Amino acid sequence: MMIQLNETHDPALRSWVASAQEPATDFPIQNLPLAVFRRRGSQEPWRGGVAIGDQIVDLAALHRAHPFDGLAAEALAAAAQPTLNALMAQGPAHWSALRLALSRALRVGSSLQPVLAACLVPQDAAEYGLPARIGDYTDFYTSIHHATNIGRLFRPDNPLLPNYKWVPIGYHGRSSSVGVSPQAFHRPWGQIKAAQDAAPVLAPSRRLDIELELGWFVGPGNALGEPIPLTQAEAHLFGVVLLNDWSARDIQAWEYQPLGPFLAKNFATTISPWVVTWEALAPYRAPHERPAEDPAPLPYLDSEANRRAGALDIHLSIALRSARMAAEGLPAHPVAQTNYRYAYWTAVQLVAHHTVGGCNLQPGDLLGTGTLSGPAPQQAAALIELTQGGRQPLMLPSGEARTFLEDGDEVILRGWCEAAGAARLGWGVCAGTVLPARPLAI
Ligand code: CA
């Protein structure tokens, strides 16, 4: 199956929420992403919400008004809960019914306008929770450009390992430290080996980095032992968030062999509050092409539909603002811009590979794409690539230089889609700030 364009994607749709028509908004009526929220500073229950312009439709309040019936009503009841796991578990028929009902109710002329207008909360007044209780977080490595760039830094003679073009490389990450934007976290401590002939020391990381990724939320799971075929994988993908996989490169360099990163990446991962659904992304699908000289994927990772439209044209950017820039009122400085369509492995290939050995995915699991670097140097999605391993500092408008992150630095990720004949939509921001390392009694 493949989601087709339908009336909810029509770029001519207009909402009675005026801010949804602002040209710069990430949240036109064609987007309708979901988050978990409450009024900031309140003790209200967390519940699902849908973004429209600069507002949120409170889905718990809307559920109490019972405006929908059938699958849309069932999906709305699930979306009113403190996490979206139950909605994710329901599957595409429910998600699509809710999207259609909300799209119609938010259009100019809808008879439900008074009902929904009573359920609006300004985004300015909201705080966000994690969209789901994340049972497991898996992080992949789908950018061949990132794999080659970072491989060259860690292994100059052998940058791209021979399995890369055959296996969607991934590892099991840590879900307990996934937080929602805006997240502040302390610089991590770990074992660092400063020189070849020196003993390692326990110290705060001095090479703290970012990784611009996307994170897929899993919808319905699969039973243990029953793989999800590539051709059915789309029905198991609920939607996608921006994801910053903060990484301590000095800790990583010492610990990563033979089992991969551990403390270098388990201290914090930040995601955007808004989950843009798989269905909303239908207008931005793109062919997934491999260089002709590369091996064809094994049959369980290959399909005609995946070759024709398995990629997604999602623009992504990184901006950085130091504490001094914030104090001087300077805006965040753009440091890189890339696109998801450069990924070597598509989302459905990740699902098919993850489960082919029998592993069971569960609703609310999170699948990171890996750092989404593009082919050009300015499309690198981590500081270690942008600064050539720390050898070429970036200059900030404040006159400061950066190789890796300093205390007080704020990193802002953005994502957006635009295509001929479709609305422009986006994710809002995924922001995180580095706090000083905690004093450690040792
Ligand atoms: Ca990563």
Side-chain angles (χ1 to χ4, degrees):
M1 63 161 267
M2 178 165 294
I3 287 173
Q4 302 297 322
L5 293 180
N6 56 46
E7 67 175 72
T8 67
H9 302 102
D10 182 351
L13 294 183
R14 293 290 177 271
S15 174
W16 48 261
V17 178
S19 56
Q21 274 76 246
E22 293 286 328
T25 186
D26 279 347
F27 307 119
I29 192 171
Q30 294 84 359
N31 191 350
L32 304 178
L34 289 109
V36 162
F37 83 103
R38 65 182 178 189
R39 284 187 180 76
R40 190 165 53 243
S42 77
Q43 291 302 310
E44 295 174 352
W46 297 102
R47 66 274 192 187
V50 162
I52 181 77
D54 60 7
Q55 303 290 309
I56 302 170
V57 182
D58 179 340
L59 296 179
L62 188 61
H63 170 55
R64 289 191 290 274
H66 291 292
F68 306 146
D69 49 26
L71 295 184
E74 292 174 14
L76 181 58
Q81 296 183 19
T83 69
L84 300 179
N85 294 77
L87 176 68
M88 292 173 179
Q90 285 178 329
H94 281 85
W95 308 335
S96 196
L98 180 60
R99 175 178 166 86
L100 179 60
L102 286 167
S103 173
R104 289 178 174 169
L106 286 165
R107 287 177 206 169
V108 168
S110 169
S111 60
L112 285 173
Q113 176 174 345
V115 178
L116 273 80
C119 300
L120 294 182
V121 176
Q123 289 170 25
D124 277 352
E127 61 181 349
Y128 298 97
L130 285 171
R133 182 176 26 77
I134 302 169
D136 280 294
Y137 162 42
T138 305
D139 198 19
F140 285 92
Y141 200 49
T142 66
S143 163
I144 196 169
H145 309 290
H146 173 69
T148 304
N149 292 343
I150 206 155
R152 192 175 289 123
L153 293 166
F154 280 73
R155 295 177 305 274
D157 51 333
N158 188 19
L160 191 69
L161 294 172
N163 56 7
Y164 189 87
K165 293 179 179 179
W166 296 93
V167 186
I169 301 292
Y171 71 100
H172 290 112
R174 186 76 197 166
S175 56
S176 65
S177 53
V178 178
V180 72
S181 167
Q183 186 180 24
F185 64 92
H186 292 273
R187 178 180 297 276
W189 291 72
Q191 280 200 27
I192 295 166
K193 196 173 186 302
Q196 199 72 21
D197 50 359
V201 295
L202 181 67
S205 171
R206 290 310 314 158
R207 290 164 70 88
L208 183 59
D209 200 353
I210 55 188
E211 290 194 334
L212 163 59
E213 307 192 10
L214 290 168
W216 288 99
F217 271 103
V218 171
N222 56 308
L224 184 64
E226 294 181 11
I228 299 171
L230 187 79
T231 51
Q232 292 171 30
E234 203 173 307
H236 295 264
L237 289 166
F238 175 74
V240 66
V241 289
L242 303 170
L243 186 152
N244 193 338
D245 181 28
W246 308 95
S247 298
R249 300 301 182 195
D250 37 11
I251 299 171
Q252 183 178 355
W254 169 230
E255 74 177 6
Y256 88 105
Q257 288 181 323
L259 289 187
F262 187 37
L263 272 66
K265 289 170 182 279
N266 71 4
F267 55 93
T269 304
T270 307
I271 63 173
S272 62
W274 293 110
V275 189
V276 175
T277 63
W278 182 259
E279 185 172 1
L281 294 171
Y284 318 101
R285 304 288 290 262
H288 180 61
E289 289 153 344
R290 285 186 160 201
E293 64 272 23
D294 283 7
L298 292 177
Y300 80 99
L301 292 172
D302 195 16
S303 76
E304 188 279 326
N306 188 53
R307 272 175 267 136
R308 176 165 42 83
L312 278 163
D313 187 2
I314 300 176
H315 299 276
L316 297 160
S317 72
I318 306 170
L320 195 157
R321 185 156 76 155
S322 68
R324 189 197 295 178
M325 289 166 67
E328 292 174 1
L330 294 169
H333 179 65
V335 297
Q337 186 173 321
T338 181
N339 193 296
Y340 184 37
R341 68 180 300 171
Y342 302 126
Y344 197 79
W345 299 102
T346 65
V348 291
Q349 287 175 319
L350 304 187
V351 170
H353 182 67
H354 204 311
T355 61
V356 75
C359 175
N360 51 326
L361 298 177
Q362 301 186 90
D365 282 358
L366 182 63
L367 309 181
T369 58
T371 311
L372 290 171
S373 301
Q378 67 276 16
Q379 292 172 323
L383 292 174
I384 191 170
E385 294 169 69
L386 289 165
T387 67
Q388 312 275 335
R391 288 190 294 273
Q392 292 197 342
L394 299 171
M395 294 309 295
L396 300 178
S398 53
E400 299 167 282
R402 279 294 178 280
T403 50
F404 294 94
L405 297 172
E406 300 293 334
D407 293 347
D409 283 355
E410 180 186 25
V411 176
I412 296 160
L413 309 183
R414 286 183 179 274
W416 67 97
C417 296
E418 45 200 1
R424 179 200 175 280
L425 59 80
W427 273 256
V429 299
C430 176
T433 302
V434 181
L435 302 176
R438 291 177 188 275
L440 203 58
I442 39 175

